[in-house]
């Protein structure tokens, strides 16, 4: 399973030849957005089923993207535009002669349209989970943003906002404003607004009226309530990533307009590079040229597609290889659970099997009640054939036949393909698969499974899973539990709360607890599976102490499963289960628990696990991600662990972190990450993620994650301040978690090649430090960062190499020749620990560093970078570049302070002059009065 561009195992030459001869329409069906001849094809916009039908929504989406296409074309200097867009209409809307979906689904969309589910706010935003220059996950618009024209006053036109978010999604650039740090002190010790470019003008506003900038600072702290209001009419043309709403802004900030000192996310994440520098370094720009001439590109074309009836075919291997290592038994147990519990109501389900030939076991049958589910279970294979040969294409052909018989075409159908055999001829049906319009999820059993099996998932946008030949592995059940309809309606999906499997000795127990929190509880099911003929002794306690025994479970002795369905809404709290192995031999006992949302007004917590790329070559690591959230609110402080299983080695458990260090890009965004590089063997690996959150007052989010288009509070127009309506807030939320919660999810599988068979020298360096910060404290500069490990983000590095420079270009392009800092007394701590190191400013004022042409020693900024070194002298990549102000000399006074002193001096002089004049006048009057009195006498 993968998000973003990736490549699986090397395909055969025959497969590559097939791709070359395919038309453009097929090329981008399963590959996401593709750039061809300067135009983007395959952009998918999906509307959530919970969004109410509105006749204006689709026209507004079209208008937004059309405007965005021309704006993007000019902003990229005639380089790219939007050519073909598909809009996925939810099945909950009325049919209107829309085209049928093929592989499109809500979960694959580049742009989603959905509410915040009770949260206030209409920010458009992009979820970015990787670093600078890397693609994001999706763009999110609310229906209100697309329908309420009043919002354009604060955000700008929708087309401009779309281009702002597209740059986040496609090119991995970040925002150039900072709501938390709207001002900063620049290298000349002046107050500066966090912006790009600095040519954008405006005035400071304090307590409702204009004020001088010095009124915004009290003892070096920026005054609360102070803001900077921009002129509505500007001459500046940049930047789209700062304030796309200004009519004059038509460009991204480049090297000449970029503000390196500004404390924004673009500088932090991209080591002070401009957005245009990052964009022009992308594959889109490296593989294309500007369009010639002066004509504009053609307007985008839109296709409206809508899902019809949900159709799923189980395509199951029954060759003799399925008899090995309980493969058939595990398939029976997982398929039964999928049919009885996971697959959604009203879905048409069919079953096909194959060895060297394909067979239809059950034609498509719609599920309307439990009897329909039981009927389908009865058609699952009971035995394997004597034939060892497998033909995946024959099985898929039967699946397509079933759907075409009901629907005319296989468009929009789903194939769940399970196989353990090898098939040298699998590429023969790749062209048929591509043109079928079906999505194929693949489940590989054991190491001998088809080498190119995952290509079927890649080409159709399906998921891929691996089940090792281990009786205590629950990977098969996890895979079937992970497969959903893809509609995006969380209220119709089952959530996995528990998944565990252990070898239990004779007359020993497997005992544990599972939390049913208040957001779930409907349609809750406990599934117990075993290996021997008879079931274990089962005892289950609900939170009130009620007991359920083995006899309360529905037992299938042939498949060795016992299932308990809890009517109504399961009681929230801790459920305790005990499985007693009453047999005389050890056996694998497993427990799986799933549940649904308790009510439509309460969003359940969810976890989505995946890897950055579904294949790698030793020694490159795999990055594991887990998005933990409630609706769109990130869940912080959760305990997230990943379990990785290969075919032969013991499982590896890793704790994932959301600390903004190592593999984790942004702190507290609810995306937990970690590097995995402990490769034991070549081949497939499976991933499962477990989330546990303790009972507490749970902070859901500091803010909604992702990069947001800026909302402008107001403008100055013709000298008059015109404020917009206050921006709706979607900030921190807290709620009581009386019982906490637990979640489990499969993260699919990935493939590793090139692992040495023999012991090898250390090839894993420390990971790159990405959160280096530099702060000037009186006469010193304090550095802080998160410690990397000896190997990537694990263990403890051996030493640090810190270098400083007065030139950003110097430290970026020639780190080895920047000033080296003495770090002999700095001993690295364990990975994940916060490191602090203090530098003396004398190092910068007296350093012998060479200055590049055009730069002088008058610079008030210094630049710092760091890299870690392990025991074998392997070095990490150079960190992000941090910056800080130099110590200001005693005779140097900030501009606003100097002006204040001059004014104070002038006022003091005037005061003294006035007193002297007053004294003279009073004295003169007294003397005159005295003389007059003497004359009268």
């Amino acid at each position: 399973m993968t998000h973003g561009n990736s490549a699986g195992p090397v395909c055969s030459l025959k497969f590559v030849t097939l791709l070359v001869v395919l038309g453009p329409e097929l090329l981008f069906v399963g590959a996401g957005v593709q750039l061809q001849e300067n135009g983007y094809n395959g952009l998918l916009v999906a509307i959530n089923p919970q969004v109410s039908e509105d006749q204006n929504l689709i026209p507004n989406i079209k208008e937004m993207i059309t405007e965005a296409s021309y704006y993007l074309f000019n902003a990229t200097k005639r380089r790219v535009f939007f050519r073909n867009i598909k809009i996925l209409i939810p099945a909950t809307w009325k049919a209107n002669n829309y085209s049928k979906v093929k592989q499109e689904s809500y979960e694959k969309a580049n742009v989603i349209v959905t509410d915040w589910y009770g949260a206030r706010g209409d920010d458009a935003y992009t979820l970015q989970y990787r670093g600078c220059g890397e693609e994001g996950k999706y763009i999110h618009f609310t229906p209100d943003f697309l329908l309420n024209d009043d919002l354009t006053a604060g955000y700008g036109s929708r087309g401009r906002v779309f281009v702002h978010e597209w740059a986040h999604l496609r090119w991995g650039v970040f925002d150039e404003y900072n709501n938390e740090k709207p001002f900063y002190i620049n290298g000349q010790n002046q107050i500066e607004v966090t912006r790009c470019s600095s040519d954008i003008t405006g005035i400071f506003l304090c307590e409702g009226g204009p004020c001088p900038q010095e009124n915004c600072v009290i003892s070096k702290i920026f005054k609360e309530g102070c803001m900077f209001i921009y002129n509505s009419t500007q001459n500046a043309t940049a930047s789209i990533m700062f304030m796309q709403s200004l009519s004059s802004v038509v460009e991204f900030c480049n090297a000449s307009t970029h503000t390196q000192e500004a404390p924004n996310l673009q500088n932090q994440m991209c080591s002070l590079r401009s957005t245009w520098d990052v964009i022009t370094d992308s594959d889109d720009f490296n593989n294309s040229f500007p369009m010639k001439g002066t004509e504009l590109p053609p307007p985008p074309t839109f296709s409206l597609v809508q899902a019809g009836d949900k159709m799923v075919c189980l395509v199951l291997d029954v060759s003799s290889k399925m008899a090995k290592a309980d493969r058939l038994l595990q398939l029976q147990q997982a398929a039964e659970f999928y049919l009885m519990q996971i697959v959604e109501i009203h879905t048409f389900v069919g079953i096909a099997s194959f060895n060297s030939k394909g067979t239809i076991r059950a034609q498509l049958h719609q599920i309307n009640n439990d009897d329909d589910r039981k009927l389908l279970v009865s058609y699952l294979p009971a035995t394997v054939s004597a034939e060892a040969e497998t033909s995946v294409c024959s099985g898929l052909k039967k699946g397509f036949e079933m759907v075409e018989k009901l629907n005319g075409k296989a468009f929009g159908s789903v194939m769940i393909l399970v196989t353990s055999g090898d098939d040298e001829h699998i590429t023969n049906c790749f062209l048929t698969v591509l043109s079928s319009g079906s999505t194929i999820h693949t489940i590989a059993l054991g190491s001998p499974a088809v080498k190119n099996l995952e290509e079927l998932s890649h080409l159709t946008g399906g998921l891929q899973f691996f089940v090792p030949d281990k009786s205590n592995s629950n990977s098969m059940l996890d895979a079937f539990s992970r497969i959903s309809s893809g509609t995006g309606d969380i209220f119709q999906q089952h959530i996995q709360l528990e998944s565990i499997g252990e070898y239990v000795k004779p007359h020993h127990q497997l005992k544990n607890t599972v939390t049913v929190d208040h957001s779930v509880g409907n349609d809750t099911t406990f599934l117990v599976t075993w290996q021997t003929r008879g079931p274990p002794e089962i005892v289950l306690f609900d939170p009130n102490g009620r007991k359920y025994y083995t006899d309360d479970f529905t037992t299938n002795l042939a498949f060795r499963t016992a299932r308990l369905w809890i009517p109504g809404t399961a009681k929230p709290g801790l459920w305790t289960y005990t499985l007693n192995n009453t047999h005389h031999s050890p056996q694998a006992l497993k427990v799986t628990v799933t549940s649904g949302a308790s009510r439509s007004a309460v969003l359940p917590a969810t976890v989505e696990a995946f890897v950055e790329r579904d294949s790698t070559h030793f020694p490159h690591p795999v990055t594991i991600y887990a998005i933990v959230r409630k609706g769109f609110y990130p869940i912080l402080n959760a305990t997230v662990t990943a379990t990785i299983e290969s075919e032969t080695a013991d499982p590896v458990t890793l704790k994932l972190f959301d600390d903004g260090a190592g593999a984790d890009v942004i702190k507290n965004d609810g995306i937990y990450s970690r590097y995995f590089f402990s490769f034991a063997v070549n081949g497939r690996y499976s991933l499962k993620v477990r989330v546990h959150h303790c009972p507490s007052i749970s902070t859901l989010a500091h803010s909604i994650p992702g990069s947001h288009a800026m909302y402008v509070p107001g403008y100055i127009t013709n000298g008059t301040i015109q404020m917009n309506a206050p921006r709706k807030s979607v900030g921190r939320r807290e709620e009581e978690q009386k019982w906490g919660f637990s979640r489990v999810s499969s993260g699919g599988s990935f493939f590793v090649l090139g692992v040495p068979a023999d012991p090898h020298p250390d090839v894993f360096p420390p990971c790159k430090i990405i959160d280096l910060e530099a702060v000037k404290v009186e006469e010193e500069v304090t550095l802080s960062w998160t410690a990397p490990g000896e190997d990537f983000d694990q263990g403890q590095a051996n030493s640090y190499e810190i270098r400083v420079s007065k030139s950003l270009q110097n430290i970026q392009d020639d780190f080895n020749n920047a000033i080296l800092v003495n770090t002999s007394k700095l001993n690295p701590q364990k990975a994940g620990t916060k490191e602090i190191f203090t530098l003396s400013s004398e190092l910068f004022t007296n350093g012998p560093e060479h200055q590049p042409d055009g730069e002088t020693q008058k610079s008030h900024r210094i630049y710092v970078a760091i890299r870690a070194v392990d025991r074998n002298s392997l070095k990490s990549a150079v960190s992000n570049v941090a910056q800080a102000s130099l110590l200001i000399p005693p005779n140097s006074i900030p501009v606003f302070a100097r002006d204040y002193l001059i004014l104070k001096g002038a006022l003091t002089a005037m005061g003294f002059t006035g007193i002297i004049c007053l004294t003279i006048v009073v004295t003169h009057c007294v003397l005159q009065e005295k003389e007059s009195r003497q004359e009268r006498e």
Side-chain angles (χ1 to χ4, degrees):
M1 192 185 318
T2 181
H3 294 258
N5 295 330
S6 64
V10 179
C11 303
S12 67
L13 180 61
K14 186 174 182 180
F15 168 58
V16 175
T17 304
L18 279 173
L19 286 182
V20 171
V21 301
L22 291 176
E25 293 80 7
L26 291 179
L27 270 175
F28 60 77
V29 164
V33 180
Q34 298 290 303
L35 181 64
Q36 297 174 336
E37 297 179 353
N38 300 96
Y40 288 115
N41 293 319
L43 177 67
L44 178 60
V45 181
I47 303 171
N48 191 279
Q50 293 290 322
V51 174
S52 301
E53 187 167 359
D54 191 297
Q55 62 181 0
N56 295 320
L57 191 58
I58 294 174
N60 284 8
I61 292 173
K62 291 181 177 181
E63 181 182 337
M64 173 180 67
I65 298 178
T66 300
E67 178 195 358
S69 183
Y70 295 122
Y71 187 54
L72 180 67
F73 183 71
N74 291 323
T76 57
K77 299 174 174 49
R78 304 181 58 82
R79 183 78 69 147
V80 295
F81 63 95
F82 297 109
R83 180 182 281 117
N84 296 317
I85 295 93
K86 288 187 178 181
I87 302 177
L88 178 59
I89 311 299
T92 52
W93 288 22
K94 295 178 182 178
N96 191 19
N97 294 321
Y98 301 123
S99 301
K100 293 182 179 180
V101 298
K102 293 183 180 178
Q103 285 107 354
E104 300 86 7
S105 71
Y106 184 86
E107 293 178 346
K108 302 174 191 174
N110 313 106
V111 180
I112 60 174
V113 179
T114 182
D115 288 307
W116 287 108
Y117 292 103
R120 297 172 61 243
D122 292 299
D123 278 350
Y125 85 98
T126 302
L127 184 60
Q128 293 180 269
Y129 63 96
R130 301 194 290 175
C132 181
E134 303 285 350
E135 287 190 46
K137 198 172 192 308
Y138 58 74
I139 300 172
H140 176 190
F141 293 108
T142 65
D144 194 41
F145 175 86
L146 295 170
L147 295 171
N148 186 355
D149 292 337
D150 293 338
L151 294 175
T152 59
Y155 292 105
S157 69
R158 297 186 186 102
R160 286 171 168 254
V161 172
F162 191 92
V163 172
H164 177 101
E165 300 304 329
W166 179 256
H168 287 312
L169 180 74
R170 185 70 178 183
W171 299 313
V173 296
F174 294 84
D175 288 324
E176 293 169 334
Y177 67 91
N178 189 336
N179 288 329
E180 295 183 358
K181 295 181 181 179
F183 312 116
Y184 65 97
I185 304 295
N186 66 13
Q188 287 69 46
N189 208 32
Q190 297 171 321
I191 294 179
E192 183 57 84
V193 180
T194 303
R195 57 188 162 179
C196 194
S197 73
S198 58
D199 295 333
I200 295 178
T201 59
I203 64 170
F204 285 89
L205 194 66
C206 307
E207 298 176 355
C211 63
Q213 63 180 11
E214 56 266 26
N215 287 15
C216 286
V217 178
I218 300 176
S219 299
K220 298 183 180 181
I221 299 176
F222 292 107
K223 186 178 179 180
E224 185 177 354
C226 187
M227 66 176 64
F228 192 81
I229 302 297
Y230 298 91
N231 296 316
S232 60
T233 302
Q234 302 276 350
N235 294 322
T237 58
S239 167
I240 293 171
M241 302 313 295
F242 171 63
M243 191 180 289
Q244 73 286 333
S245 57
L246 291 173
S247 60
S248 67
V249 170
V250 292
E251 296 177 333
F252 296 95
C253 256
N254 55 34
S256 62
T257 56
H258 180 61
T259 309
Q260 296 172 346
E261 296 178 324
N264 55 39
L265 202 56
Q266 172 64 24
N267 279 329
Q268 177 187 334
M269 300 301 300
C270 297
S271 287
L272 313 183
R273 296 170 64 194
S274 71
T275 54
W276 185 244
D277 182 29
V278 176
I279 291 170
T280 55
D281 199 32
S282 67
D283 289 340
D284 287 351
F285 277 61
N286 289 330
N287 299 324
S288 65
F289 299 94
M291 290 178 60
K292 297 179 181 180
T294 58
E295 293 184 358
L296 291 174
T301 60
F302 295 88
S303 303
L304 306 183
V305 297
Q306 187 178 38
D309 293 323
K310 295 188 285 289
M311 294 171 290
V312 177
C313 292
L314 304 185
V315 182
L316 311 176
D317 185 353
V318 292
S319 68
S320 60
K321 294 181 180 179
M322 289 293 293
K324 180 182 177 183
D326 287 337
R327 291 173 184 171
L328 179 63
L329 177 63
Q330 291 193 61
L331 171 60
Q332 291 168 333
Q333 293 170 344
E336 180 200 33
F337 188 63
Y338 176 78
L339 293 172
M340 293 301 302
Q341 194 64 29
I342 302 299
V343 68
E344 296 176 15
I345 193 77
H346 305 313
T347 301
F348 286 88
V349 180
I351 302 173
S353 62
F354 65 94
N355 42 35
S356 63
K357 297 179 181 180
T359 302
I360 295 176
R361 306 183 71 90
Q363 293 285 356
L364 286 175
H365 184 84
Q366 189 174 31
I367 295 177
N368 295 308
N369 51 49
D370 271 1
D371 289 336
D372 295 320
R373 296 179 183 273
K374 293 174 183 177
L375 177 64
L376 285 165
V377 169
S378 69
Y379 288 109
L380 290 173
T383 59
V384 300
S385 71
E387 190 176 359
E389 185 180 352
T390 56
S391 174
V392 169
C393 293
S394 298
L396 289 174
K397 182 180 179 180
K398 292 301 179 182
F400 296 150
E401 282 181 13
M402 281 190 282
V403 179
E404 290 166 357
K405 182 178 180 180
L406 177 70
N407 201 40
K409 292 184 178 181
F411 290 178
S413 64
V414 172
M415 304 286 153
I416 301 178
L417 173 62
V418 184
T419 183
S420 65
D422 197 3
D423 184 356
E424 297 178 354
H425 306 291
I426 189 172
T427 57
N428 290 346
C429 59
F430 278 3
L431 183 57
T432 302
V433 166
L434 276 169
S435 60
S436 69
S438 180
T439 298
I440 301 178
H441 304 304
T442 59
I443 303 177
L445 277 65
S447 56
V450 187
K451 292 180 180 178
N452 287 334
L453 181 67
E454 286 80 4
E455 292 301 332
L456 296 170
S457 298
H458 296 161
L459 296 173
T460 62
L463 306 177
Q464 61 183 60
F465 303 92
F466 167 62
V467 179
D469 285 332
K470 299 177 181 178
S471 297
N472 65 333
S473 173
N474 226 7
S475 297
M476 179 76 82
L477 276 160
D478 297 335
F480 273 95
S481 299
R482 173 70 177 81
I483 297 172
S484 68
S485 63
T487 63
D489 190 351
I490 188 62
F491 298 107
Q492 299 298 320
Q493 299 173 9
H494 285 83
I495 297 168
Q496 196 170 3
L497 308 184
E498 174 70 301
S499 172
I500 189 172
E502 289 186 7
Y503 283 115
V504 179
K505 296 179 180 179
H507 307 293
H508 282 66
Q509 295 178 341
L510 170 60
K511 185 176 182 179
N512 211 337
T513 60
V514 59
T515 302
V516 176
D517 58 280
H518 73 284
S519 69
V520 295
N522 281 350
D523 207 16
T524 302
T525 300
F526 288 78
L527 175 70
V528 176
T529 66
W530 62 93
Q531 284 182 289
T532 55
R533 292 187 177 182
E537 185 180 87
I538 306 171
V539 180
L540 174 67
F541 290 87
D542 76 3
N544 291 344
R546 177 181 174 180
K547 290 184 180 181
Y548 298 88
Y549 297 98
T550 308
D551 291 342
D552 296 313
F553 284 69
T554 300
T555 303
N556 184 334
L557 295 179
F559 291 172
R560 298 169 193 174
T561 63
R563 184 172 56 89
L564 175 67
W565 177 74
I566 306 298
T569 302
K571 294 185 181 299
L574 288 178
W575 291 65
T576 303
Y577 58 85
T578 302
L579 309 183
N580 184 18
N581 181 13
T582 57
H583 293 271
H584 300 293
S585 59
Q587 65 168 325
L589 301 180
K590 306 174 193 175
V591 177
T592 301
V593 183
T594 62
S595 187
S598 57
R599 54 189 184 276
S600 60
V602 179
L603 283 164
T606 60
V607 55
E608 179 186 359
F610 56 95
V611 291
E612 181 179 15
R613 291 180 176 85
D614 52 25
S615 68
T616 191
H617 196 285
F618 182 89
H620 300 292
V622 169
T623 306
I624 298 171
Y625 297 98
I627 302 178
V628 185
R629 57 187 177 181
K630 188 178 178 71
F632 290 100
Y633 286 97
I635 295 177
L636 310 183
N637 306 317
T639 301
V640 184
T641 54
T643 302
I644 304 98
E645 284 188 290
S646 63
E647 177 61 30
T648 56
D650 293 333
V652 176
T653 300
L654 279 179
K655 187 174 181 180
L656 309 186
F657 298 103
D658 183 19
D659 57 0
D664 192 67
V665 174
I666 299 176
K667 184 177 182 179
N668 289 341
D669 62 353
I671 303 176
Y672 296 74
S673 317
R674 197 75 184 272
Y675 291 117
F676 173 70
F677 52 90
S678 301
F679 308 126
V681 294
N682 290 304
R684 295 181 174 95
Y685 289 73
S686 70
L687 168 66
K688 176 164 69 178
V689 168
R690 183 183 300 272
V691 179
H692 179 71
H693 202 281
C694 296
S696 64
I697 298 295
S698 171
T699 300
L700 289 184
H702 178 267
S703 62
I704 295 298
S707 302
H708 303 248
M710 182 178 182
Y711 183 85
V712 181
Y715 295 99
I716 303 169
T717 305
N718 298 325
T720 303
I721 298 175
Q722 297 180 349
M723 300 301 291
N724 294 319
R727 171 178 170 269
K728 291 182 179 180
S729 173
V730 288
R732 184 184 296 270
R733 293 182 62 203
E734 292 187 351
E735 62 177 35
E736 184 177 357
Q737 291 282 345
K738 186 175 181 180
W739 300 283
F741 68 85
S742 60
R743 298 289 186 269
V744 177
S745 178
S746 171
S749 65
F750 57 90
F751 208 92
V752 181
L753 295 172
V755 179
D758 300 322
H760 53 82
D762 181 17
V763 292
F764 303 120
C767 64
K768 176 182 175 180
I769 294 168
I770 62 174
D771 61 344
L772 177 66
E773 293 184 353
V775 179
K776 189 193 72 171
V777 181
E778 297 180 351
E779 298 183 3
E780 297 176 329
V781 174
T782 299
L783 306 179
S784 63
W785 66 93
T786 302
E790 167 77 10
D791 298 331
F792 294 108
D793 53 5
Q794 298 179 36
Q796 187 171 342
N798 187 60
S799 62
Y800 290 117
E801 179 183 354
I802 301 176
R803 293 184 182 270
V804 299
S805 175
K806 294 179 185 177
S807 162
L808 173 62
Q809 182 181 355
N810 188 359
I811 202 164
Q812 283 180 331
D813 300 341
D814 196 8
F815 175 81
N816 291 330
N817 287 325
I819 300 174
L820 180 64
V821 177
N822 183 357
T823 58
S824 58
K825 296 183 179 180
L826 176 60
N827 296 317
Q829 301 183 70
K830 185 179 178 181
T833 307
K834 201 67 176 179
E835 301 271 31
I836 296 178
F837 186 70
T838 302
L839 306 175
S840 170
S841 61
E842 295 179 359
L843 176 66
F844 319 123
T845 55
N846 301 323
E849 180 188 27
H850 167 71
Q851 294 294 317
D853 293 340
E855 297 196 28
T856 69
Q857 292 286 349
K858 296 180 180 180
S859 172
H860 289 277
R861 309 291 292 181
I862 59 98
Y863 303 95
V864 188
I866 182 175
R867 64 183 174 191
V869 184
D870 70 8
R871 289 171 295 181
N872 295 305
S873 299
L874 295 177
K875 297 180 178 180
S876 70
V878 177
S879 72
N880 64 298
V881 178
Q883 57 181 331
S885 298
L886 282 174
L887 176 66
I888 304 302
N891 60 349
S892 175
I893 302 173
V895 173
F896 64 86
R898 185 169 63 246
D899 292 343
Y900 169 75
L901 292 179
I902 292 173
L903 177 61
K904 183 176 179 181
L907 290 175
T908 302
M910 292 174 61
F912 278 121
T913 303
I915 293 172
I916 293 171
C917 291
L918 180 62
T919 303
I920 293 173
V921 170
V922 171
T923 303
H924 177 73
C925 291
V926 170
L927 292 175
Q928 286 282 17
E929 179 64 25
K930 186 175 182 180
E931 289 180 4
S932 299
R933 190 166 55 250
Q934 289 175 348
E935 290 177 359
R936 288 196 299 271
E937 290 176 355

